[in-house]
Amino acid sequence: EIVGQQIAANRCTWVTSLWLEDNDIGVTGAQHLAHGLSENKYLTELSLASNPIRTDGFKAILAGLSSGSCPLSSMNVRACQIMRVPIEFQGVPSLKEVLLEDNPILFPPREVLSRGTARIITFLKELHETEARAEPKRPAEPAIQRGNSVKIPDHFGQPKPAERGHFKRNEIHGAEHKHRSR
C-alpha cells in the first residue's frame, strides 16, 4: 500500500524502474500498486516476478495502467500464478515487453503467447471486437409509466379453472405425461 501511495504521489520523479520481485505481493497489494500506477507519470519498468498477484492482480495493474498516463513499457510478471491474460492487456499501448514465463496460463493459446506482446495485444483486440459484434441487440423494453398498471389474473401460475381436478402432471424419465385423476 505504501509503495502504491508513493508511486501515485509522483514525488520520486527519478525512479523509472521498480523491482519488487519475490516480495509476497498478492492480489490486494497489486490493487494498491495499480492505483499508484494510474497516477504515476515516470515509471517505465516494473518487475513483480515471483509474487502471487494471480490473474486478478494482473488485471488490476493493467486497468490502472490503461486509466492513467504511466509510460510503462516493460513489465516482468514471471511466476506470478497468472492463469489468463485479461482483455485489459490490449488497453495499455505503452507496453512493449511483458515477460509472462513460468505462469500456468490457459488463455490465450500458447501459439499466441509464444509470438510476443504485439501478437497478444492484436489477438485480444480482435477477440474483443468479435465479441462486441456478436452481442445480440436486445429490444428496448417499454417504459412503465406512473399510473399504468397490469392486472395479473388470480390463477396466474396455476392451472386454468377448467383444468383443475381434471389432469395431473407427472414426470417420468424426463417426459411429461398426463393422467386422469380419480
Side-chain angles (χ1 to χ4, degrees):
E1 183 176 1
I2 293 169
V3 173
Q5 290 171 350
Q6 291 302 311
I7 292 170
N10 285 304
R11 290 188 192 128
C12 304
T13 59
W14 66 91
V15 177
T16 58
S17 296
L18 186 59
W19 298 79
L20 298 171
E21 295 180 358
D22 203 16
N23 273 294
D24 202 28
I25 297 170
V27 174
T28 303
Q31 291 167 340
H32 289 295
L33 189 57
H35 171 71
L37 291 170
S38 71
E39 302 290 324
N40 186 277
K41 294 175 181 19
Y42 304 101
L43 203 62
T44 59
E45 293 181 74
L46 174 64
S47 180
L48 294 167
S50 300
N51 283 295
I53 65 168
R54 297 187 171 80
T55 303
D56 288 342
F58 187 42
K59 181 177 180 175
I61 288 169
L62 293 168
L65 288 168
S66 67
S67 70
S69 57
C70 183
L72 196 73
S73 62
S74 178
M75 184 174 5
N76 181 352
V77 286
R78 288 182 173 157
C80 287
Q81 302 174 13
I82 297 167
M83 297 185 73
R84 184 176 181 85
V85 177
I87 197 77
E88 287 80 1
F89 189 89
Q90 53 97 23
V92 186
S94 64
L95 273 178
K96 304 299 178 220
E97 177 185 42
V98 179
L99 304 175
L100 292 162
E101 291 85 5
D102 300 323
N103 284 298
I105 296 176
L106 303 172
F107 180 84
R110 287 275 171 212
E111 49 280 359
V112 172
L113 293 173
S114 67
R115 296 177 77 196
T117 304
R119 178 63 186 120
I120 296 169
I121 291 171
T122 301
F123 175 84
L124 292 172
K125 280 183 179 178
E126 289 171 355
L127 178 68
H128 183 68
E129 290 167 1
T130 302
E131 287 176 350
R133 282 192 305 262
E135 270 187 27
K137 302 283 185 197
R138 292 184 187 182
E141 293 184 25
I144 298 176
Q145 297 174 356
R146 198 175 278 209
N148 293 344
S149 63
V150 176
K151 173 101 170 89
I152 299 176
D154 292 336
H155 65 275
F156 185 74
Q158 300 175 359
K160 293 178 185 165
E163 294 179 350
R164 286 189 194 138
H166 294 283
F167 295 97
K168 186 163 119 183
R169 290 186 159 181
N170 293 323
E171 283 191 0
I172 303 173
H173 303 292
E176 285 190 16
H177 297 281
K178 290 184 180 180
H179 297 281
R180 293 230 181 257
S181 58
R182 296 179 191 176

